[in-house]
Amino acid sequence: MESDLSIQQQRFIKHLPLMITGTLLLTGFVVYQTTPAFSQFLRDAWTILTSNDRPRITAWVNQFGFWGPVILVAAMIVQIFLVVIPSWGLMVVAVLAYGPVWGAVLSLCATVIAAMVAYVAGKYVGDVVIRSFVGDATEEKVERWINRNGFWAVTLARVSPFISGDAVSLISGLTRLPFLYFITATVLGVTPLVLAVAYLSRDTDTLKQGFIWLTAGSIVLLTAYFLVKRIRRSPK
């Protein structure tokens, strides 16, 4: 696909994420400065969502009614391409707003839907566009990793809070990994992370310490996986 595009087209695609992000930020800034109601809404949203006050957050989110979960799913999808905030940050908001049970269910559903969108996008827009979002080096490394490890590459990436699951989802669409395998691996990998976030989101201190342990645990898990794989490949 890359060879079918002119140099000008490739340059345009390469800078597409920056242009989209810049346009959205500029539009948001103009609207923020010229629309008092919008600027007040954003200030209230930031104050409430970062307050760690569960009843207050729940009351604020409930004002959106049916649209609350829809907005969360939409935010999950948008953050894939703009990488404004990590997906686990939206999981925390969901848990604080809807409680540990329904918040976890909503987070899981939103993550899977966003992963499906990313996989399909990667499959049909091609490697040139995906590289513009994740970078050439990242695309090559992750694609090679998924092609070598398949199902477990996606699972391990989703378990870890420090690996970009969104990048893995986008690049998975470029690989030989079947869609059903990808979704199953995503659910298997993200479920422990969602449950951990639901448990750790009781207060800020617990969340901070918990993510340190989650990160350390995922590093140990990745290391163990590669050690076992190397041992199996070594000649007997």
Side-chain angles (χ1 to χ4, degrees), residues 104-135:
V105 172
L106 180 57
S107 295
L108 180 60
C109 293
T111 302
V112 172
I113 292 172
M116 292 170 62
V117 172
Y119 180 95
V120 173
K123 188 175 185 62
Y124 290 102
V125 302
D127 58 346
V128 176
V129 177
I130 298 304
R131 286 180 181 180
S132 70
F133 282 97
V134 302

Side-chain angles (χ1 to χ4, degrees), residues 2-3 5-15 128:
E2 191 168 353
S3 59
L5 299 174
S6 66
I7 296 178
Q8 289 77 10
Q9 289 174 319
Q10 292 182 35
R11 287 177 177 173
F12 174 80
I13 292 175
K14 185 175 182 180
H15 293 92
V128 176

